[in-house]
Amino acid sequence: MSVAEFGKIVFEEATRAKVMARIGYFGPSSSGKSLSGLRCARRLQEIIEPGKKFAVIDTEHARVHLYAEEPEFKHPSLDGAWFRVYSLRAPYSPAHYIAAIDQAERAGATVLFIDSISHEWF
């Protein structure tokens, strides 16, 4: 194959674009995905809007509530943990996830952690 087959190939100057991060955690059960995701969300929230809580959509039977009282997730000036939670239950449909995501955005969330999206595939 030659370059001529693809037309003109032009490399553009790289520029930083303001885009949302989408980070996925994969691993076997009990490997720390929820804890790692909460830690990442908290750090992102501190960078983006210090002092504000982030949102969590939880489909793992209230698993994230286990971390609400941990010292690293206790908010020093706001009441309670660094995050607010919506416990998404069946139906685990794309429409339900979208509605929950839209509500988090309307509520002012700038960081959203979804634990987990696996149910949607079923």
Side-chain angles (χ1 to χ4, degrees), residues 26-86:
F26 300 90
S29 182
S30 300
S31 63
K33 298 179 297 292
S34 296
L35 180 57
S36 295
L38 285 171
R39 285 177 172 159
C40 182
R42 179 178 169 220
R43 299 307 184 274
L44 284 171
Q45 186 63 58
E46 288 176 12
I47 292 166
I48 295 168
E49 269 188 282
K52 186 176 175 184
K53 293 185 178 194
F54 63 92
V56 177
I57 295 173
D58 178 21
T59 66
E60 297 296 321
H61 311 290
R63 179 170 293 163
V64 297
H65 287 278
L66 297 173
Y67 302 104
E69 295 296 320
E70 293 294 317
E72 70 180 298
F73 295 115
K74 291 292 285 179
H75 197 288
S77 60
L78 298 176
D79 185 35
W82 271 94
F83 51 90
R84 295 185 182 267
V85 182
Y86 169 65

Side-chain angles (χ1 to χ4, degrees), residues 93-100 120:
S93 65
H96 196 173
Y97 277 88
I98 291 167
E120 185 181 15

